[in-house]
């Protein structure tokens, strides 16, 4: 089977230097025919020169910086049945590829995405891979740290979404429309993709026999800072809910939780540092502005929250 390992890079030469050798080695160790591709999003550092000098056999595709939506532009041009989508701060264990892509070999199983067991660079701290979606004060969140997750870290099963590394059936990914530009510059695109896939009858699987290491937020934190990353996550959570969770019960839960969060912003304001003050109010205003500025297609099916939320 043909597999494309596709790395998204923006000003990440230092992370490529640390991580790319492990990906090339994992591709070499796989029993499948693997190609390694780097999508460069208009990097201003020396990523391109470094790749040309150190890894001339790695295919480099240059695209404007559209975050994860760059995959939408490049995957139609690739030949593989499966695409493994990687952040530039991901290392793969030598034998990571084959178990990760195995559930995607047969369309009849309905699996469109897989996620590996992911730890931090220290090799010990669990970061995730198997996620569940939960409500918290009127907002949904995908988390790998749900109650009882410790007992399931080494057990394969279904997952609600993936994260910094995932494998997808390339044709299914494209039929679903890929990542939604509504969420640019980023956060929650993977959850939205998984939700749309569930609506269309597909599922995602957690594959702990495949293992990866993740630095975490290497590019995003450098550009937006931690406060900016948190605000984008909050903004995009609102956009995700307004787009997908429109049943009356879900809308009532969102309204009640939103009012409570607005009240909390007011109560906490005097004691909150200026950079983090009015966090929910700011995210709400940004979500309204973003939603108004992006033309949306009419939904083909009505979202059902209970398919992924509990």
């Amino acid at each position: 089977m043909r597999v494309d390992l596709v790395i998204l890079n923006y000003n990440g030469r230092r992370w490529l230097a640390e991580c790319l050798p492990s990906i090339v080695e994992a591709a070499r160790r796989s029993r499948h025919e693997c190609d390694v591709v780097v999508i460069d999003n208009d990097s201003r550092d020396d990523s391109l020169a470094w790749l040309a000098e150190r890894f001339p056999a790695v295919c480099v595709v240059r695209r404007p910086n559209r975050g994860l939506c760059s995959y939408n532009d490049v995957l139609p041009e690739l030949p593989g049945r499966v695409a493994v989508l990687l952040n530039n701060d991901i290392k793969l264990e030598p034998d990571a590829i084959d178990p990760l892509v195995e559930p995607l070999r047969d369309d009849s199983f309905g699996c469109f995405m897989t996620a590996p067991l992911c730890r931090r660079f220290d090799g010990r701290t669990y970061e995730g891979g198997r996620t569940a979606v939960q409500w918290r004060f009127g907002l949904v969140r995908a988390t790998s740290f749900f109650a009882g997750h410790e007992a399931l870290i080494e057990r394969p099963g279904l997952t609600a979404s993936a994260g910094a590394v995932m494998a997808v059936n390339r044709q299914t990914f494209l039929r679903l429309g890929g990542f939604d530009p509504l969420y640019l510059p980023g956060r929650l695109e993977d959850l939205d993709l998984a939700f749309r896939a569930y609506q269309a009858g597909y599922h995602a699987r957690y594959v702990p026999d495949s293992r990866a290491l993740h630095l975490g937020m290497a590019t995003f934190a450098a550009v937006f800072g931690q406060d900016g990353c948190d605000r984008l996550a909050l903004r995009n959570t609102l956009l995700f809910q307004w787009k997908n969770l429109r049943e009356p019960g879900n809308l009532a839960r969102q309204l009640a939780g939103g009012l409570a969060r607005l009240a909390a912003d007011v109560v906490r304001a005097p004691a909150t540092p200026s950079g983090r003050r009015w966090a929910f109010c700011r995210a709400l205003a940004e979500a309204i502005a973003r939603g108004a500025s992006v033309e949306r297609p009419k939904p083909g099916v009505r979202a059902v929250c209970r398919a992924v939320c509990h």
Side-chain angles (χ1 to χ4, degrees):
M1 182 172 67
R2 191 76 173 267
V3 178
D4 296 302
L5 282 70
V6 192
I7 305 159
L8 192 62
N9 180 64
Y10 174 71
N11 291 341
R13 196 273 297 166
R14 62 180 296 195
W15 311 123
L16 290 173
E18 185 164 0
C19 300
L20 183 57
S22 73
I23 296 168
V24 171
E25 175 62 13
R28 188 189 68 81
R29 293 275 293 266
S30 174
R31 66 187 176 89
H32 299 290
E33 183 180 356
C34 296
D35 292 319
V36 180
V37 179
V38 173
I39 303 175
D40 188 80
N41 280 168
D42 283 337
S43 290
R44 299 178 182 179
D45 65 0
D46 61 344
S47 291
L48 294 174
W50 183 87
L51 285 164
E53 178 183 354
R54 300 295 183 88
F55 289 90
V58 169
C59 177
V60 178
V61 181
R62 301 179 67 178
R63 287 293 186 274
N65 192 347
R66 296 212 313 134
L68 292 187
C69 293
S70 299
Y71 289 121
N72 303 354
D73 304 330
V74 173
L75 261 59
E77 304 171 4
L78 299 180
R81 177 185 181 85
V82 171
V84 182
L85 312 183
L86 301 136
N87 286 7
N88 59 8
D89 60 346
I90 286 286
K91 297 179 185 179
L92 293 179
E93 295 292 334
D95 299 320
I97 295 175
D98 288 359
L100 188 64
V101 305
E102 183 64 26
L104 300 167
R105 295 186 65 191
D106 189 343
D107 283 338
S108 64
F109 293 134
C111 181
F112 89 106
M113 175 195 289
T114 57
L117 191 163
C118 197
R119 299 187 188 275
R120 303 307 295 267
F121 269 14
D122 62 15
R124 300 183 301 275
T125 305
Y126 175 69
E127 180 178 276
R130 184 183 205 138
T131 63
V133 180
Q134 302 172 331
W135 284 100
R136 187 172 185 271
F137 300 113
L139 296 180
V140 295
R141 62 171 185 159
T143 177
S144 293
F145 298 95
F146 51 88
H149 77 275
E150 299 90 346
L152 301 175
I153 289 175
E154 299 291 344
R155 293 173 58 184
L158 298 179
T159 183
S161 68
V165 51
M166 67 184 78
V168 297
N169 179 300
R170 187 177 65 88
Q171 289 296 336
T172 303
F173 175 89
L174 296 174
R175 283 197 297 269
L176 291 168
F179 294 113
D180 191 339
L182 173 68
Y183 302 103
L184 286 173
R187 308 301 297 276
L188 268 80
E189 304 99 315
D190 57 330
L191 178 61
D192 179 80
L193 174 66
F195 191 88
R196 285 184 278 127
Y198 294 134
Q199 290 178 313
Y202 298 101
H203 67 269
R205 299 200 66 83
Y206 170 59
V207 185
D209 286 343
S210 176
R211 298 176 182 253
L213 303 176
H214 185 211
L215 174 63
M217 303 296 290
T219 298
F220 249 64
V223 175
F224 297 103
Q226 188 58 55
D227 288 350
C229 292
D230 292 345
R231 191 167 64 252
L232 276 170
L234 190 51
R235 183 202 78 168
N236 284 357
T237 299
L238 291 168
L239 290 170
F240 172 84
Q241 295 181 179
W242 297 344
K243 173 188 173 185
N244 295 305
L245 308 181
R246 302 178 64 85
E247 287 191 333
N250 293 327
L251 293 174
R253 177 178 273 179
Q254 294 173 51
L255 177 60
L259 291 173
R261 287 176 179 270
L262 288 171
D265 266 5
V266 173
V267 172
R268 294 171 182 167
T272 303
S274 59
R276 299 185 64 85
R277 195 174 298 158
W278 308 111
F280 185 76
C281 294
R282 292 179 181 181
L284 178 61
E286 291 174 7
I288 292 171
R290 179 63 181 169
S293 68
V294 178
E295 184 177 349
R296 309 300 306 153
K298 294 182 179 180
V301 293
R302 194 176 185 185
V304 181
C305 178
R306 60 179 174 271
V308 294
C309 297
H310 61 272

